[in-house]
Amino acid sequence: EKWKDFKGKKVRWSGKVGSTPRGLLIGTVSKVKKDNYGLASTIYVKPATNLNNFSVVTVISSSIGDK
């Protein structure tokens, strides 16, 4: 039952993997569905942007020293 509380919550990037900045908005939890046995839940996230209509892509890169 506690998973239902996640509906409407913002999903943000943790920043723990890769070089994507921490806190980047991924989307919003739109639905939480339990499996037939009640042992696992699937959380559906509505993307924060329209993934079919990119006109600009920004690549964020960082380096240490001259690398």
Side-chain angles (χ1 to χ4, degrees):
E1 293 297 315
K2 67 180 181 175
W3 291 109
K4 290 183 180 183
D5 294 338
F6 281 91
K7 188 172 180 182
K9 298 280 186 180
K10 302 289 184 199
V11 178
R12 298 187 180 273
W13 185 254
S14 69
K16 293 183 179 183
V17 177
S19 60
T20 304
R22 178 183 177 157
L24 183 68
L25 181 62
I26 303 298
T28 305
V29 175
S30 61
K31 180 179 174 184
V32 179
K33 182 179 176 186
K34 285 194 164 229
D35 70 359
N36 293 336
Y37 304 102
L39 300 175
S41 295
T42 301
I43 297 176
Y44 296 86
V45 177
K46 179 180 178 186
T49 188
N50 180 350
L51 300 177
N52 296 317
N53 189 18
F54 282 104
S55 59
V56 176
V57 175
T58 302
V59 178
I60 300 172
S61 177
S62 64
S63 62
I64 298 173
D66 295 325
K67 294 183 179 180

